[in-house]
């Protein structure tokens, strides 16, 4: 490698990063160092690299912007907002002829995730666009709750992962973002309006490429994002007033937020002068109610809707084994040993990389219901797992082959 003045900025610098061909423009990197992964649209050159047992996403970008985006991604990661994990920034690159090359921002590739265009390159069910929009609306609300202004909301700047029958959205590109103590209504509305405009344009582009179902109305999908965002934002932040005798509504409000997947960290309760009216308003709302509960009970760290499904199965196990009076955590560990682990272990090792364990479990439960309906009897879970492997999973080349399909459709297409 020619003499360079490389500088690595990272929390845990990896010296082996220096072995990559930093003296070559990213667009010209040889195939032997690249990982073949589907790539979204980006205004910058981006490449994926297998390195040190993980896949890294490397983006050429101006030095100042690289450091700024790296800092923002670190901040989002610390407060557990769904986003890619920053690895570092490398500057001081130069070509053999002395030409200065741009800095690079390095992030970890998000396992089992795909850009939206890769999803639509398959034969997908018509409501896939709606499910992606729902996921993006939830992500945007979570960002706004912590004071993050995105500035360039779009499907292109988002990655999607399966979360039971839905999707989970992750922020990928933060270079136009900014963190504030609290966003104004103007900042939030600008993000939402820009999201609507960008999404309609992206869907129209898919339609032009015949990648979108002809029944999909691009404008109505964009409008649906605004509606979903406003509905969720109101549920999480609006102030609610009721009579003093209706204090049960405090618990009802908290339960409703829990059902949406959010915990209430702080609640402001005030009464009027004569004490006849009570007003409540959530002050601190944290996403991940079900995933945090499952993690506390079992040590399993999964997506929110996957956790919701697994907690439902845990409740069924508790009732079936007549252990309603036992300590919840003890029953949860028994469920992991007797139900979850044996079900995952029933999947051959060479097939377990096709889906995350939690998604495998969810789909096996769905398959169990499907074949039980066909057989008109209750199929035991081990039998359902074996049937799922033989009739569904074995015919799936990888995650992106059926990522846009609802779990029940896999049986219908097998």
């Amino acid at each position: 490698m020619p003499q360079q003045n490389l500088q690595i900025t990272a929390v845990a610098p990896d010296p082996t990063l220096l072995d990559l061909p930093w003296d070559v423009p990213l667009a010209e990197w040889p195939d032997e160092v690249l990982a073949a992964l589907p790539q979204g649209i980006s205004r910058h050159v981006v490449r994926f690299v297998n390195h040190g047992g993980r896949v890294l996403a490397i983006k050429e970008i101006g030095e100042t912007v690289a450091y700024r985006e790296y800092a923002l991604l670190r901040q989002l990661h610390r407060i557990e907002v769904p986003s890619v994990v920053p690895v570092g920034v490398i500057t001081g690159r130069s070509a053999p002829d002395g030409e200065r090359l741009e800095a690079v921002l390095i992030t970890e590739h998000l396992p089992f995730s795909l850009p939206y265009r890769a999803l639509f390159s398959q034969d997908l069910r018509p409501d896939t666009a709606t499910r992606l929009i729902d996921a993006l609306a939830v992500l945007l609300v979570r960002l706004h709750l912590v004071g993050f202004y995105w500035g360039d909301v779009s499907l292109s700047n988002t990655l999607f992962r399966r979360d039971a029958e839905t999707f989970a959205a992750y922020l990928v590109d933060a270079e136009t973002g900014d963190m504030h103590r609290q966003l104004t209504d103007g900042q939030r509305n600008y993000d939402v309006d820009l999201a609507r405009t960008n999404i309609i344009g992206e869907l129209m582009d898919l339609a032009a490429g015949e990648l979108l179902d002809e029944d999909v109305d691009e404008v109505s999908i964009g409008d649906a994002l605004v509606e979903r965002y406003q509905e969720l934002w109101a549920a999480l932040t609006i102030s609610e007033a009721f009579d003093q005798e209706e204090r049960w509504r405090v618990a009802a409000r908290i339960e409703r937020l829990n059902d949406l997947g959010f915990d209430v960290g702080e609640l402001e309760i005030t009464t009027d002068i004569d004490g006849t009216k009570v007003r409540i308003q959530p002050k601190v709302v944290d996403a991940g109610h079900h995933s945090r509960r499952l993690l506390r009970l079992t040590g399993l760290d999964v997506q929110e809707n996957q956790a919701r499904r697994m907690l439902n199965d845990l409740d069924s196990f508790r009732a079936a084994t007549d252990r309603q009076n036992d300590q919840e955590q003890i029953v949860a560990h028994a469920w992991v040993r007797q139900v979850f682990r044996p079900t995952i272990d029933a999947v051959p090792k060479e097939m377990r990389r096709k889906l995350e364990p939690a998604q495998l479990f969810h789909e096996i439960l769905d398959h169990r219901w499907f074949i039980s309906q066909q057989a008109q009897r209750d199929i035991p879970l081990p039998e359902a797992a074996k049937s799922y492997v033989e009739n569904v999973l074995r015919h799936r080349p990888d995650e992106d082959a059926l990522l846009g399909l609802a779990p029940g459709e896999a049986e219908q297409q097998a």
Side-chain angles (χ1 to χ4, degrees), residues 37-68:
L37 289 172
Q39 202 167 309
I41 297 175
S42 174
R43 63 177 67 91
H44 304 286
V45 177
V46 178
R47 293 291 182 267
F48 296 108
V49 173
N50 280 309
H51 185 78
R54 57 181 175 171
V55 178
L56 303 178
I58 303 175
K59 176 171 69 173
E60 273 185 341
I61 193 172
E63 181 175 326
T64 302
V65 179
Y67 280 123
R68 185 174 180 278

Side-chain angles (χ1 to χ4, degrees), residues 110-132:
L110 186 65
F112 299 100
S113 69
L114 284 173
Y116 82 102
R117 292 188 70 88
L119 291 174
F120 284 99
S121 67
Q122 312 296 330
D123 292 328
L124 303 180
R125 53 184 288 172
D127 71 342
T128 296
T130 303
R131 291 188 289 154
L132 296 183

Side-chain angles (χ1 to χ4, degrees), residues 180-241:
H180 301 266
R181 188 181 66 83
Q182 184 176 347
L183 295 184
T184 66
D185 288 343
Q187 288 170 317
R188 290 194 305 104
N189 291 335
Y190 181 84
D191 252 359
V192 174
D193 185 61
L194 182 62
R196 176 186 178 275
T197 301
N198 284 343
I199 287 165
I200 291 173
E202 288 168 322
L203 294 179
M204 286 182 172
D205 181 55
L206 288 175
E210 299 183 350
L211 295 175
L212 194 64
D213 190 278
E214 60 183 14
D215 294 331
V216 173
D217 183 336
E218 299 90 345
V219 175
S220 67
I221 293 292
D223 292 340
L225 171 83
V226 178
E227 182 179 342
R228 174 65 171 147
Y229 172 90
Q230 292 174 342
E231 175 188 0
L232 189 55
W233 183 264
L236 296 173
T237 63
I238 198 168
S239 178
E240 181 179 357

Side-chain angles (χ1 to χ4, degrees), residues 255-317:
E255 184 176 352
R256 187 161 71 250
L257 294 178
N258 290 164
D259 288 341
L260 288 171
F262 291 82
D263 282 325
V264 181
E266 183 180 331
L267 195 68
E268 182 179 83
I269 303 178
T270 58
T271 61
D272 58 12
I273 296 176
D274 59 9
T276 60
K277 290 284 186 180
V278 176
R279 183 175 296 275
I280 61 172
Q281 181 173 13
K283 301 298 290 183
V284 179
V285 181
D286 298 315
H289 170 75
H290 298 95
S291 58
R292 274 197 293 271
R293 180 175 171 231
L294 185 73
L295 181 62
R296 185 182 73 250
L297 289 174
T298 67
L300 298 172
D301 188 5
V302 306
Q303 301 280 353
E304 179 67 9
N305 288 305
Q306 291 168 345
R308 191 193 304 262
R309 182 69 183 276
M310 294 165 76
L311 287 168
N312 287 340
D313 194 69
L314 170 58
D315 288 340
S316 298
F317 171 80

